Amino acid sequence: MTFQGVVIREQGVTFAVVVVKKHVIDGGSTEAGRAVAAFQPAFPGLPVVLMAQDHQGTPTYYGRPDIARFLASVPLEAIPWKQYTV
């Protein structure tokens, strides 16, 4: 499996962000929760937050509320995305 993501350390918290299709987040907590669980082995011990973009490129985050709020304030182009293969 290949995906876009990033590990970020901010304010003493280390977490992972993974790019998913918008329907994963829009599908509700069950579908999004399954996606978080599927990516968790790639980032053992770290909280995983999902990020999806709408057709205008506006990001939406799903995961730990404090991390999702923080990410919503960060410009998307400031996040150093990289490709992962698991």
Side-chain angles (χ1 to χ4, degrees):
M1 168 171 57
T2 301
F3 61 91
Q4 292 287 105
V6 64
V7 173
I8 297 174
R9 181 173 177 86
E10 183 65 36
Q11 300 175 3
V13 178
T14 303
F15 56 92
V17 185
V18 177
V19 177
V20 297
K21 302 268 186 203
K22 183 120 170 67
H23 72 86
V24 174
I25 292 175
D26 290 346
S29 61
T30 300
E31 187 170 355
R34 277 193 287 242
V36 167
F39 288 109
Q40 193 67 62
F43 305 102
L46 298 181
V48 174
V49 174
L50 307 177
M51 187 283 292
Q53 292 176 275
D54 64 15
H55 64 281
Q56 295 178 343
T58 304
T60 300
Y61 297 94
Y62 175 88
R64 235 174 75 178
D66 59 329
I67 297 172
R69 275 192 306 275
F70 165 73
L71 288 167
S73 71
V74 175
L76 198 55
E77 58 274 3
I79 299 174
W81 301 102
K82 65 185 240 184
Q83 188 161 319
Y84 289 84
T85 302
V86 179

